[in-house]
mmCIF file of all heavy atoms in Angstrom:
data_model
loop_
_atom_site.group_PDB
_atom_site.id
_atom_site.type_symbol
_atom_site.label_atom_id
_atom_site.label_comp_id
_atom_site.label_asym_id
_atom_site.label_seq_id
_atom_site.Cartn_x
_atom_site.Cartn_y
_atom_site.Cartn_z
ATOM 1 N N SER A 1 -0.375 -11.519 -2.817
ATOM 2 C CA SER A 1 0.650 -12.400 -2.262
ATOM 3 C C SER A 1 0.759 -13.649 -3.119
ATOM 4 O O SER A 1 -0.227 -14.371 -3.304
ATOM 5 C CB SER A 1 0.298 -12.790 -0.821
ATOM 6 O OG SER A 1 1.081 -13.883 -0.376
ATOM 7 N N VAL A 2 1.957 -13.890 -3.633
ATOM 8 C CA VAL A 2 2.199 -15.132 -4.362
ATOM 9 C C VAL A 2 2.042 -16.324 -3.431
ATOM 10 O O VAL A 2 1.429 -17.342 -3.778
ATOM 11 C CB VAL A 2 3.608 -15.116 -4.998
ATOM 12 C CG1 VAL A 2 4.009 -16.504 -5.479
ATOM 13 C CG2 VAL A 2 3.651 -14.135 -6.164
ATOM 14 N N ALA A 3 2.585 -16.223 -2.215
ATOM 15 C CA ALA A 3 2.509 -17.337 -1.270
ATOM 16 C C ALA A 3 1.060 -17.689 -0.952
ATOM 17 O O ALA A 3 0.710 -18.871 -0.801
ATOM 18 C CB ALA A 3 3.267 -16.991 0.004
ATOM 19 N N ARG A 4 0.206 -16.682 -0.854
ATOM 20 C CA ARG A 4 -1.194 -16.929 -0.484
ATOM 21 C C ARG A 4 -1.923 -17.803 -1.496
ATOM 22 O O ARG A 4 -2.910 -18.482 -1.160
ATOM 23 C CB ARG A 4 -1.918 -15.588 -0.316
ATOM 24 C CG ARG A 4 -3.324 -15.712 0.243
ATOM 25 C CD ARG A 4 -3.869 -14.356 0.617
ATOM 26 N NE ARG A 4 -3.944 -13.453 -0.508
ATOM 27 C CZ ARG A 4 -3.694 -12.139 -0.449
ATOM 28 N NH1 ARG A 4 -3.343 -11.581 0.695
ATOM 29 N NH2 ARG A 4 -3.797 -11.389 -1.521
ATOM 30 N N LEU A 5 -1.459 -17.837 -2.740
ATOM 31 C CA LEU A 5 -2.082 -18.674 -3.753
ATOM 32 C C LEU A 5 -2.054 -20.145 -3.349
ATOM 33 O O LEU A 5 -2.932 -20.918 -3.747
ATOM 34 C CB LEU A 5 -1.387 -18.476 -5.102
ATOM 35 C CG LEU A 5 -1.526 -17.077 -5.723
ATOM 36 C CD1 LEU A 5 -0.687 -16.970 -6.983
ATOM 37 C CD2 LEU A 5 -2.981 -16.740 -6.013
ATOM 38 N N SER A 6 -1.053 -20.526 -2.548
ATOM 39 C CA SER A 6 -0.983 -21.918 -2.099
ATOM 40 C C SER A 6 -2.138 -22.261 -1.166
ATOM 41 O O SER A 6 -2.547 -23.430 -1.093
ATOM 42 C CB SER A 6 0.359 -22.187 -1.406
ATOM 43 O OG SER A 6 1.423 -22.174 -2.347
ATOM 44 N N LEU A 7 -2.648 -21.287 -0.448
ATOM 45 C CA LEU A 7 -3.833 -21.511 0.366
ATOM 46 C C LEU A 7 -5.092 -21.488 -0.494
ATOM 47 O O LEU A 7 -5.974 -22.344 -0.354
ATOM 48 C CB LEU A 7 -3.936 -20.458 1.465
ATOM 49 C CG LEU A 7 -2.811 -20.414 2.505
ATOM 50 C CD1 LEU A 7 -3.097 -19.319 3.534
ATOM 51 C CD2 LEU A 7 -2.646 -21.758 3.197
ATOM 52 N N LEU A 8 -5.185 -20.513 -1.379
ATOM 53 C CA LEU A 8 -6.388 -20.377 -2.201
ATOM 54 C C LEU A 8 -6.593 -21.596 -3.095
ATOM 55 O O LEU A 8 -7.738 -22.048 -3.283
ATOM 56 C CB LEU A 8 -6.309 -19.100 -3.038
ATOM 57 C CG LEU A 8 -6.241 -17.786 -2.250
ATOM 58 C CD1 LEU A 8 -6.176 -16.606 -3.205
ATOM 59 C CD2 LEU A 8 -7.418 -17.642 -1.297
ATOM 60 N N GLN A 9 -5.514 -22.136 -3.640
ATOM 61 C CA GLN A 9 -5.668 -23.301 -4.501
ATOM 62 C C GLN A 9 -6.116 -24.538 -3.725
ATOM 63 O O GLN A 9 -6.576 -25.521 -4.318
ATOM 64 C CB GLN A 9 -4.371 -23.600 -5.247
ATOM 65 C CG GLN A 9 -3.298 -24.268 -4.400
ATOM 66 C CD GLN A 9 -2.098 -24.697 -5.221
ATOM 67 O OE1 GLN A 9 -1.841 -24.144 -6.296
ATOM 68 N NE2 GLN A 9 -1.353 -25.672 -4.740
ATOM 69 N N ARG A 10 -5.978 -24.495 -2.407
ATOM 70 C CA ARG A 10 -6.458 -25.588 -1.553
ATOM 71 C C ARG A 10 -7.836 -25.286 -0.980
ATOM 72 O O ARG A 10 -8.265 -25.920 -0.022
ATOM 73 C CB ARG A 10 -5.441 -25.847 -0.434
ATOM 74 C CG ARG A 10 -4.150 -26.477 -0.956
ATOM 75 C CD ARG A 10 -3.068 -26.600 0.108
ATOM 76 N NE ARG A 10 -1.959 -27.401 -0.373
ATOM 77 C CZ ARG A 10 -0.953 -26.945 -1.118
ATOM 78 N NH1 ARG A 10 -0.919 -25.641 -1.439
ATOM 79 N NH2 ARG A 10 -0.001 -27.752 -1.538
ATOM 80 N N GLY A 11 -8.508 -24.311 -1.570
ATOM 81 C CA GLY A 11 -9.886 -24.050 -1.214
ATOM 82 C C GLY A 11 -10.100 -23.120 -0.045
ATOM 83 O O GLY A 11 -11.227 -22.989 0.452
ATOM 84 N N PHE A 12 -9.057 -22.435 0.401
ATOM 85 C CA PHE A 12 -9.185 -21.539 1.547
ATOM 86 C C PHE A 12 -9.962 -20.278 1.192
ATOM 87 O O PHE A 12 -9.879 -19.756 0.072
ATOM 88 C CB PHE A 12 -7.802 -21.116 2.049
ATOM 89 C CG PHE A 12 -7.200 -22.025 3.081
ATOM 90 C CD1 PHE A 12 -6.806 -23.317 2.742
ATOM 91 C CD2 PHE A 12 -7.016 -21.610 4.385
ATOM 92 C CE1 PHE A 12 -6.233 -24.156 3.675
ATOM 93 C CE2 PHE A 12 -6.454 -22.441 5.332
ATOM 94 C CZ PHE A 12 -6.055 -23.725 4.981
ATOM 95 N N VAL A 13 -10.679 -19.783 2.175
ATOM 96 C CA VAL A 13 -11.152 -18.401 2.188
ATOM 97 C C VAL A 13 -10.177 -17.631 3.065
ATOM 98 O O VAL A 13 -9.972 -17.979 4.230
ATOM 99 C CB VAL A 13 -12.577 -18.305 2.755
ATOM 100 C CG1 VAL A 13 -12.980 -16.842 2.932
ATOM 101 C CG2 VAL A 13 -13.565 -19.034 1.859
ATOM 102 N N TYR A 14 -9.555 -16.606 2.490
ATOM 103 C CA TYR A 14 -8.564 -15.803 3.212
ATOM 104 C C TYR A 14 -9.195 -14.462 3.551
ATOM 105 O O TYR A 14 -9.764 -13.790 2.682
ATOM 106 C CB TYR A 14 -7.320 -15.605 2.350
ATOM 107 C CG TYR A 14 -6.186 -14.875 3.037
ATOM 108 C CD1 TYR A 14 -5.159 -15.571 3.665
ATOM 109 C CD2 TYR A 14 -6.134 -13.478 3.053
ATOM 110 C CE1 TYR A 14 -4.118 -14.912 4.289
ATOM 111 C CE2 TYR A 14 -5.097 -12.812 3.682
ATOM 112 C CZ TYR A 14 -4.095 -13.537 4.294
ATOM 113 O OH TYR A 14 -3.058 -12.876 4.932
ATOM 114 N N ALA A 15 -9.111 -14.075 4.828
ATOM 115 C CA ALA A 15 -9.803 -12.856 5.274
ATOM 116 C C ALA A 15 -8.887 -11.994 6.127
ATOM 117 O O ALA A 15 -8.087 -12.508 6.915
ATOM 118 C CB ALA A 15 -11.053 -13.227 6.067
ATOM 119 N N VAL A 16 -9.014 -10.684 5.958
ATOM 120 C CA VAL A 16 -8.298 -9.706 6.774
ATOM 121 C C VAL A 16 -9.330 -8.903 7.558
ATOM 122 O O VAL A 16 -10.203 -8.259 6.968
ATOM 123 C CB VAL A 16 -7.443 -8.755 5.913
ATOM 124 C CG1 VAL A 16 -6.716 -7.756 6.797
ATOM 125 C CG2 VAL A 16 -6.452 -9.538 5.066
ATOM 126 N N ALA A 17 -9.233 -8.964 8.882
ATOM 127 C CA ALA A 17 -10.134 -8.203 9.747
ATOM 128 C C ALA A 17 -9.519 -6.835 10.022
ATOM 129 O O ALA A 17 -8.416 -6.746 10.564
ATOM 130 C CB ALA A 17 -10.364 -8.959 11.051
ATOM 131 N N HIS A 18 -10.208 -5.787 9.658
ATOM 132 C CA HIS A 18 -9.700 -4.417 9.828
ATOM 133 C C HIS A 18 -10.222 -3.870 11.164
ATOM 134 O O HIS A 18 -11.065 -2.964 11.215
ATOM 135 C CB HIS A 18 -10.115 -3.554 8.650
ATOM 136 C CG HIS A 18 -9.683 -4.106 7.326
ATOM 137 N ND1 HIS A 18 -8.374 -4.084 6.909
ATOM 138 C CD2 HIS A 18 -10.384 -4.740 6.354
ATOM 139 C CE1 HIS A 18 -8.283 -4.651 5.707
ATOM 140 N NE2 HIS A 18 -9.483 -5.065 5.353
ATOM 141 N N VAL A 19 -9.659 -4.397 12.225
ATOM 142 C CA VAL A 19 -10.172 -4.147 13.578
ATOM 143 C C VAL A 19 -9.741 -2.773 14.091
ATOM 144 O O VAL A 19 -8.786 -2.168 13.591
ATOM 145 C CB VAL A 19 -9.689 -5.250 14.538
ATOM 146 C CG1 VAL A 19 -10.238 -6.606 14.122
ATOM 147 C CG2 VAL A 19 -8.154 -5.305 14.580
ATOM 148 N N ARG A 20 -10.462 -2.308 15.125
ATOM 149 C CA ARG A 20 -10.092 -1.044 15.750
ATOM 150 C C ARG A 20 -8.708 -1.142 16.390
ATOM 151 O O ARG A 20 -8.307 -2.190 16.888
ATOM 152 C CB ARG A 20 -11.148 -0.649 16.784
ATOM 153 C CG ARG A 20 -12.403 -0.066 16.174
ATOM 154 C CD ARG A 20 -13.499 0.182 17.189
ATOM 155 N NE ARG A 20 -14.192 -1.052 17.568
ATOM 156 C CZ ARG A 20 -15.258 -1.106 18.353
ATOM 157 N NH1 ARG A 20 -15.749 0.016 18.874
ATOM 158 N NH2 ARG A 20 -15.829 -2.263 18.636
ATOM 159 N N GLY A 21 -7.996 -0.042 16.376
ATOM 160 C CA GLY A 21 -6.591 -0.011 16.762
ATOM 161 C C GLY A 21 -5.704 0.173 15.556
ATOM 162 O O GLY A 21 -4.601 0.697 15.642
ATOM 163 N N GLY A 22 -6.200 -0.263 14.388
ATOM 164 C CA GLY A 22 -5.563 0.074 13.120
ATOM 165 C C GLY A 22 -6.035 1.437 12.651
ATOM 166 O O GLY A 22 -6.779 2.135 13.343
ATOM 167 N N GLY A 23 -5.624 1.803 11.433
ATOM 168 C CA GLY A 23 -5.993 3.127 10.934
ATOM 169 C C GLY A 23 -6.926 3.104 9.750
ATOM 170 O O GLY A 23 -7.112 4.137 9.092
ATOM 171 N N GLU A 24 -7.530 1.960 9.461
ATOM 172 C CA GLU A 24 -8.291 1.820 8.232
ATOM 173 C C GLU A 24 -9.407 2.845 8.088
ATOM 174 O O GLU A 24 -9.655 3.349 6.985
ATOM 175 C CB GLU A 24 -8.880 0.404 8.151
ATOM 176 C CG GLU A 24 -7.874 -0.685 7.802
ATOM 177 C CD GLU A 24 -7.165 -1.272 8.999
ATOM 178 O OE1 GLU A 24 -7.191 -0.635 10.082
ATOM 179 O OE2 GLU A 24 -6.578 -2.352 8.865
ATOM 180 N N LEU A 25 -10.096 3.167 9.178
ATOM 181 C CA LEU A 25 -11.241 4.080 9.098
ATOM 182 C C LEU A 25 -10.977 5.407 9.797
ATOM 183 O O LEU A 25 -11.902 6.078 10.263
ATOM 184 C CB LEU A 25 -12.484 3.406 9.681
ATOM 185 C CG LEU A 25 -12.998 2.190 8.898
ATOM 186 C CD1 LEU A 25 -14.205 1.572 9.585
ATOM 187 C CD2 LEU A 25 -13.341 2.560 7.461
ATOM 188 N N GLY A 26 -9.710 5.811 9.853
ATOM 189 C CA GLY A 26 -9.391 7.125 10.391
ATOM 190 C C GLY A 26 -8.866 7.093 11.806
ATOM 191 O O GLY A 26 -8.729 6.046 12.436
ATOM 192 N N ARG A 27 -8.579 8.282 12.305
ATOM 193 C CA ARG A 27 -7.942 8.406 13.613
ATOM 194 C C ARG A 27 -8.834 7.896 14.744
ATOM 195 O O ARG A 27 -8.341 7.277 15.699
ATOM 196 C CB ARG A 27 -7.563 9.868 13.866
ATOM 197 C CG ARG A 27 -6.848 10.099 15.186
ATOM 198 C CD ARG A 27 -5.480 9.427 15.208
ATOM 199 N NE ARG A 27 -4.793 9.605 16.469
ATOM 200 C CZ ARG A 27 -3.485 9.799 16.584
ATOM 201 N NH1 ARG A 27 -2.716 9.834 15.508
ATOM 202 N NH2 ARG A 27 -2.920 9.944 17.761
ATOM 203 N N ALA A 28 -10.114 8.119 14.664
ATOM 204 C CA ALA A 28 -10.999 7.642 15.723
ATOM 205 C C ALA A 28 -11.004 6.122 15.783
ATOM 206 O O ALA A 28 -11.144 5.531 16.863
ATOM 207 C CB ALA A 28 -12.417 8.176 15.514
ATOM 208 N N TRP A 29 -10.865 5.478 14.625
ATOM 209 C CA TRP A 29 -10.791 4.016 14.576
ATOM 210 C C TRP A 29 -9.594 3.513 15.378
ATOM 211 O O TRP A 29 -9.681 2.505 16.088
ATOM 212 C CB TRP A 29 -10.705 3.569 13.126
ATOM 213 C CG TRP A 29 -10.986 2.117 12.889
ATOM 214 C CD1 TRP A 29 -10.092 1.154 12.526
ATOM 215 C CD2 TRP A 29 -12.253 1.460 12.967
ATOM 216 N NE1 TRP A 29 -10.716 -0.061 12.380
ATOM 217 C CE2 TRP A 29 -12.049 0.097 12.644
ATOM 218 C CE3 TRP A 29 -13.542 1.885 13.286
ATOM 219 C CZ2 TRP A 29 -13.086 -0.837 12.627
ATOM 220 C CZ3 TRP A 29 -14.568 0.954 13.266
ATOM 221 C CH2 TRP A 29 -14.338 -0.381 12.953
ATOM 222 N N TYR A 30 -8.509 4.234 15.264
ATOM 223 C CA TYR A 30 -7.308 3.925 16.053
ATOM 224 C C TYR A 30 -7.533 4.236 17.530
ATOM 225 O O TYR A 30 -7.259 3.400 18.412
ATOM 226 C CB TYR A 30 -6.139 4.724 15.496
ATOM 227 C CG TYR A 30 -4.908 4.788 16.373
ATOM 228 C CD1 TYR A 30 -4.323 3.641 16.902
ATOM 229 C CD2 TYR A 30 -4.306 6.017 16.660
ATOM 230 C CE1 TYR A 30 -3.183 3.706 17.695
ATOM 231 C CE2 TYR A 30 -3.166 6.093 17.439
ATOM 232 C CZ TYR A 30 -2.613 4.939 17.957
ATOM 233 O OH TYR A 30 -1.483 5.011 18.740
ATOM 234 N N ASP A 31 -8.040 5.416 17.817
ATOM 235 C CA ASP A 31 -8.224 5.823 19.215
ATOM 236 C C ASP A 31 -9.153 4.879 19.967
ATOM 237 O O ASP A 31 -8.992 4.674 21.178
ATOM 238 C CB ASP A 31 -8.777 7.251 19.281
ATOM 239 C CG ASP A 31 -7.740 8.301 18.903
ATOM 240 O OD1 ASP A 31 -6.530 7.981 18.931
ATOM 241 O OD2 ASP A 31 -8.137 9.436 18.575
ATOM 242 N N HIS A 32 -10.100 4.292 19.277
ATOM 243 C CA HIS A 32 -11.046 3.388 19.928
ATOM 244 C C HIS A 32 -10.506 1.967 20.033
ATOM 245 O O HIS A 32 -11.252 1.055 20.439
ATOM 246 C CB HIS A 32 -12.385 3.392 19.180
ATOM 247 C CG HIS A 32 -13.111 4.691 19.287
ATOM 248 N ND1 HIS A 32 -14.059 5.101 18.370
ATOM 249 C CD2 HIS A 32 -13.024 5.698 20.204
ATOM 250 C CE1 HIS A 32 -14.521 6.291 18.720
ATOM 251 N NE2 HIS A 32 -13.910 6.669 19.829
ATOM 252 N N GLY A 33 -9.221 1.797 19.715
ATOM 253 C CA GLY A 33 -8.588 0.489 19.863
ATOM 254 C C GLY A 33 -7.240 0.596 20.546
ATOM 255 O O GLY A 33 -6.325 -0.191 20.278
ATOM 256 N N LYS A 34 -7.098 1.575 21.442
ATOM 257 C CA LYS A 34 -5.847 1.751 22.187
ATOM 258 C C LYS A 34 -6.186 2.141 23.624
ATOM 259 O O LYS A 34 -7.359 2.358 23.963
ATOM 260 C CB LYS A 34 -4.958 2.823 21.531
ATOM 261 C CG LYS A 34 -5.584 4.210 21.538
ATOM 262 C CD LYS A 34 -4.723 5.258 20.849
ATOM 263 C CE LYS A 34 -3.466 5.599 21.619
ATOM 264 N NZ LYS A 34 -2.812 6.826 21.131
ATOM 265 N N LEU A 35 -5.150 2.207 24.460
ATOM 266 C CA LEU A 35 -5.306 2.631 25.847
ATOM 267 C C LEU A 35 -6.476 1.886 26.505
ATOM 268 O O LEU A 35 -6.519 0.663 26.499
ATOM 269 C CB LEU A 35 -5.467 4.155 25.912
ATOM 270 C CG LEU A 35 -4.240 4.968 25.439
ATOM 271 C CD1 LEU A 35 -4.577 6.444 25.339
ATOM 272 C CD2 LEU A 35 -3.044 4.747 26.345
#
């Protein structure tokens, strides 16, 4: 992200949490974050 550089240049740590409900670790990862 070009825009994100404005945060990084100000000393930010930028983090993405790959939480359950998404698909990052497969279908079970999704199933354990729904319903």
Side-chain angles (χ1 to χ4, degrees):
S1 166
V2 167
R4 188 169 60 217
L5 295 175
S6 290
L7 298 181
L8 298 180
Q9 76 173 24
R10 290 174 170 84
F12 271 68
V13 173
Y14 184 95
V16 180
H18 304 287
V19 297
R20 282 174 283 186
E24 285 88 343
L25 294 178
R27 182 66 181 218
W29 196 250
Y30 166 51
D31 288 342
H32 292 157
K34 64 182 290 194
L35 296 171

